[in-house]
Amino acid sequence: MSELIECPPGHMFKVRFSNVVTSLFLDANEQIWETVQAKEESEFSNAVKHHVFFMDSAQQKHTEIPVSILDLEDLEELHLEKNLIEVIPKEICHFQNIKVLYLNNNNITDICEELGELQNLQSLDLSSNPLNHKSLDVISKIHRLQELRLYDINLEEFPVQLCKHLHHLQLLGLSNNKLKSLPPEVTNLIHLKEIYLQNNAFQSFPIQICALTALQVVDLEKNKLTSLPADIGSLCNLVKLFMSFNKLSFIPKTLCQCKKLAVLDLSGNRLHKLPHDISELKALNELGLSNNELKMLPPTICQLRRLNVLYLKNTGLSTLPATFAELESLTILDLSQNCFTDFPHEICGLIQLQVLSMDDNLMSTNLKELYIENNNLEFLPSTLNLLHNLEVLDCHNNNLKQLPDTICQLHGLQKLLLQNNQLTSLPDNLDRLHKLERLLLDDNPMVNPPLDLCSLGKSAIWEYLQERRQKHMLATKIQALWRGVMVRKGLGPYAYLLQIRKKGKKSKKDTKGKNKSKKRNLKGKK
């Protein structure tokens, strides 16, 4: 049974009664809690005090854990991150049912012994605190702990006691510290599935990791590693490996034995080549190779049929393997900042491609005809303007919804075939394609210009675009003049209109008055 309790306005606490998460609006201060405690005989008070399982009191500027929260003995999950808490009180031991405890981003220096009495605790986050590292040994007493996050605590050595006693640990977060190595005893963590060591001071790959065969995620980004050990192939359950921004100069062939590897990021290293056995990574769907000195790809990379995302930015490439189109699942391809002088025609065979980046290359291509009809393309790349010599562009029978403005820069284009797409409008400056002889727009839901006008041919379309552009320019000028008048008058648009209307009425009255006086004068003369 769950209920929503409304209290005086304040910060929102998320509270779970029984097995249902609801929301309890309570201010974090003692006054509200004293009011609740004063009604101890009521069902409401008992529900709040004895049957609250979840509470979020993050970012409330607490300098200590409120006593009222410490009284909630049935709590299973408590969020106190991003406060100003300096001390973990001894009363923390009251949380005998607590499973998740977030105390990260506070000012805690010491971990009290009583924290070690939380035998049901499964997830603990003490990241971004100025911790006394000697007090970390207390955590070794929490034998059921499964997730431990100690990011950004200036840790130079990982405590051996934690390795010896946390046998159920599945996630270990140690990023943004000063670690140079791991103790040999880390191999005791046989159930570890995820280890995060990003942005530390490792100069060599911690070989002990290779003995932890349950690992699924290894993150060693932003270290100073120069090589990977051959034993990395023993990580048979590895799914994600993040090694970007190190100093790796080669990849061991044994990495290709990690058959479950789905995400591999090797960006920002010193790689000159990839192992030919990379084709063995059949489960790979995301590969990051940007900012390396590859200059060429092994043809075997084209056998990664499940690859969805491939980052090759700034890799010195000037060509692609002839079988590149066999990457049939590729949806995102980054080839920017490379050395391509011609548009790589192999890309045209990537039928699932949705995002292509080719900016900042050396293309001055001689490609004159490009046929990409009968696909499911929804858009053309904005880099299309790099095809300076293009004369024929055939895009019929696709799902194009709009054309990039850069198509107006293909000044040598003579034929543009766009029939049977989903186009509703044309770029404003398409009529700047002075050499265009043939433009086909049949079977498109055209609105701007209308379909019946499109059927009249290119001349009618050009005239429409020019008139539309002139109207837009005129409207812009009128708007600018209008704003200028209002600025000079110091008026808003409504006030300005009222002023004009008043002037009109006044001028009419003046005219009537003058006419009457003239009549009087005429009568006097008579």
Side-chain angles (χ1 to χ4, degrees):
M1 182 77 181
S2 66
E3 54 181 309
L4 181 65
I5 303 176
E6 295 184 4
C7 291
H11 300 293
M12 184 179 75
F13 284 90
K14 294 177 181 176
V15 178
R16 178 163 62 84
F17 295 98
S18 301
N19 294 316
V20 183
V21 176
T22 60
S23 296
L24 173 61
F25 291 84
L26 288 176
D27 198 11
N29 61 45
E30 293 296 321
Q31 183 179 358
I32 299 299
W33 281 102
E34 287 174 3
T35 303
V36 173
Q37 290 168 349
K39 300 178 181 179
E40 212 163 271
E41 295 179 359
S42 69
E43 182 181 351
F44 164 76
S45 175
N46 291 330
V48 171
K49 188 172 181 180
H50 299 295
H51 299 285
V52 177
F53 300 110
F54 178 100
M55 178 166 286
D56 187 348
S57 189
Q59 302 186 66
Q60 303 299 317
K61 298 182 179 180
H62 296 311
T63 56
E64 59 183 19
I65 301 177
V67 175
S68 46
I69 292 180
L70 292 169
D71 285 342
L72 302 174
E73 298 179 359
D74 288 337
L75 268 183
E76 293 181 4
E77 184 167 342
L78 174 59
H79 291 258
L80 288 165
E81 64 267 26
K82 298 181 179 179
N83 280 293
L84 304 171
I85 298 169
E86 297 180 357
V87 176
I88 301 176
K90 295 180 180 181
E91 291 78 10
I92 197 80
C93 64
H94 294 171
F95 294 140
Q96 286 302 306
N97 295 317
I98 197 84
K99 295 179 181 179
V100 179
L101 179 59
Y102 285 85
L103 289 166
N104 51 296
N105 296 87
N106 279 284
N107 296 322
I108 300 168
T109 54
D110 289 293
I111 303 173
C112 63
E113 291 290 333
E114 287 74 13
L115 187 71
E117 299 178 20
L118 305 181
Q119 291 305 304
N120 287 308
L121 191 62
Q122 296 176 9
S123 180
L124 174 63
D125 193 342
L126 289 166
S127 303
S128 301
N129 280 291
L131 291 171
N132 177 356
H133 299 155
K134 293 182 179 179
S135 66
L136 290 173
D137 284 349
V138 172
I139 299 173
S140 65
K141 299 177 182 179
I142 311 174
H143 299 304
R144 295 184 183 178
L145 200 63
Q146 296 180 13
E147 298 181 358
L148 176 60
R149 294 174 176 87
L150 296 171
Y151 302 120
D152 190 25
I153 61 169
N154 289 315
L155 191 64
E156 295 182 359
E157 294 183 2
F158 186 66
V160 173
Q161 291 300 315
L162 301 188
C163 299
K164 289 182 176 180
H165 299 286
L166 299 182
H167 300 300
H168 297 282
L169 205 62
Q170 296 182 18
L171 182 150
L172 178 58
L174 297 170
S175 295
N176 301 318
N177 282 294
K178 299 178 180 179
L179 297 170
K180 294 182 179 179
S181 63
L182 295 177
E185 290 82 1
V186 78
T187 55
N188 292 334
L189 305 177
I190 58 174
H191 297 292
L192 199 64
K193 294 181 179 180
E194 302 177 40
I195 186 165
Y196 298 92
L197 299 166
Q198 183 184 129
N199 197 22
N200 275 280
F202 290 97
Q203 294 186 357
S204 60
F205 190 94
I207 192 67
Q208 301 89 342
I209 286 180
C210 298
L212 302 173
T213 56
L215 275 173
Q216 297 177 8
V217 180
V218 174
D219 186 351
L220 272 156
E221 289 185 352
K222 298 180 181 177
N223 280 280
K224 300 176 182 179
L225 305 180
T226 56
S227 63
L228 297 178
D231 290 344
I232 197 168
S234 62
L235 296 177
C236 55
N237 289 300
L238 192 62
V239 176
K240 298 180 180 180
L241 177 61
F242 302 99
M243 299 297 301
S244 62
F245 300 103
N246 279 281
K247 298 180 180 180
L248 301 177
S249 57
F250 74 96
I251 301 300
K253 294 180 180 180
T254 51
L255 178 63
C256 303
Q257 297 173 11
C258 301
K259 305 296 185 183
K260 295 182 180 181
L261 194 61
V263 178
L264 175 60
D265 192 354
L266 298 168
S267 304
N269 280 283
R270 299 175 179 177
L271 300 176
H272 292 284
K273 62 179 181 179
L274 299 174
H276 287 280
D277 295 339
I278 195 170
S279 59
E280 296 299 317
L281 299 175
K282 304 294 186 184
L284 202 62
N285 59 50
E286 185 170 336
L287 178 58
L289 296 169
S290 296
N291 298 306
N292 281 287
E293 301 174 10
L294 295 174
K295 295 185 178 178
M296 64 182 300
L297 299 174
T300 50
I301 198 173
C302 303
Q303 297 177 30
L304 300 175
R305 303 296 171 79
R306 295 186 183 180
L307 198 63
N308 296 131
V309 180
L310 179 56
Y311 297 107
L312 291 166
K313 178 180 180 180
N314 189 28
T315 49
L317 293 176
S318 58
T319 60
L320 295 175
T323 56
F324 197 75
E326 293 181 9
L327 295 173
E328 54 192 31
S329 300
L330 204 61
T331 58
I332 299 175
L333 175 61
D334 188 351
L335 290 171
S336 58
Q337 298 181 24
N338 277 291
C339 303
F340 291 97
T341 56
D342 294 311
F343 188 85
H345 63 86
E346 296 87 357
I347 292 175
C348 299
L350 299 172
I351 58 175
Q352 299 295 333
L353 194 63
Q354 297 178 14
V355 178
L356 171 63
S357 297
M358 288 206 67
D359 48 295
D360 298 318
N361 273 276
L362 305 174
M363 285 190 290
S364 179
T365 180
N366 292 319
L367 186 67
K368 293 185 177 182
E369 298 183 7
L370 179 58
Y371 298 91
I372 49 177
E373 71 276 18
N374 300 321
N375 286 290
N376 292 311
L377 297 177
E378 294 185 1
F379 64 91
L380 297 175
S382 59
T383 52
L384 192 66
N385 62 311
L386 297 175
L387 303 177
H388 303 296
N389 296 311
L390 197 65
E391 296 178 357
V392 178
L393 177 57
D394 187 351
C395 304
H396 77 274
N397 289 341
N398 279 287
N399 290 315
L400 297 176
K401 297 178 181 178
Q402 64 178 22
L403 299 176
D405 290 334
T406 52
I407 198 172
C408 304
Q409 299 173 26
L410 299 176
H411 300 298
L413 199 62
Q414 298 175 18
K415 293 182 181 179
L416 180 56
L417 311 181
L418 297 166
Q419 60 268 43
N420 196 20
N421 277 282
Q422 299 298 319
L423 296 172
T424 58
S425 64
L426 296 176
D428 289 339
N429 297 315
L430 194 67
D431 60 300
R432 303 283 171 86
L433 299 179
H434 300 299
K435 294 186 179 181
L436 195 67
E437 299 173 357
R438 192 176 184 192
L439 174 62
L440 297 183
L441 289 164
D442 301 337
D443 299 318
N444 278 283
M446 292 298 299
V447 175
N448 194 3
L451 189 59
D452 56 347
L453 188 145
C454 293
S455 64
L456 299 177
K458 189 194 74 172
S459 298
I461 296 173
W462 264 211
E463 185 177 347
Y464 176 89
L465 293 176
Q466 290 165 5
E467 287 180 1
R468 185 176 71 178
R469 192 162 57 243
Q470 288 172 359
K471 288 179 181 178
H472 178 72
M473 291 172 63
L474 182 60
T476 303
K477 286 181 180 178
I478 292 172
Q479 191 175 26
L481 289 170
W482 176 263
R483 287 175 180 169
V485 169
M486 287 193 293
V487 169
R488 287 195 298 272
K489 297 289 185 179
L491 299 170
Y494 179 69
Y496 181 63
L497 288 172
L498 282 176
Q499 192 179 74
I500 292 174
R501 189 175 178 185
K502 287 178 181 178
K503 282 186 177 180
K505 289 181 178 179
K506 188 176 180 181
S507 63
K508 287 180 180 179
K509 288 180 180 178
D510 291 343
T511 304
K512 290 179 179 179
K514 288 179 181 178
N515 291 335
K516 287 180 180 179
S517 61
K518 285 181 180 178
K519 288 180 180 178
R520 289 196 201 101
N521 292 333
L522 288 172
K523 287 180 179 179
K525 287 179 180 178
K526 289 180 180 179

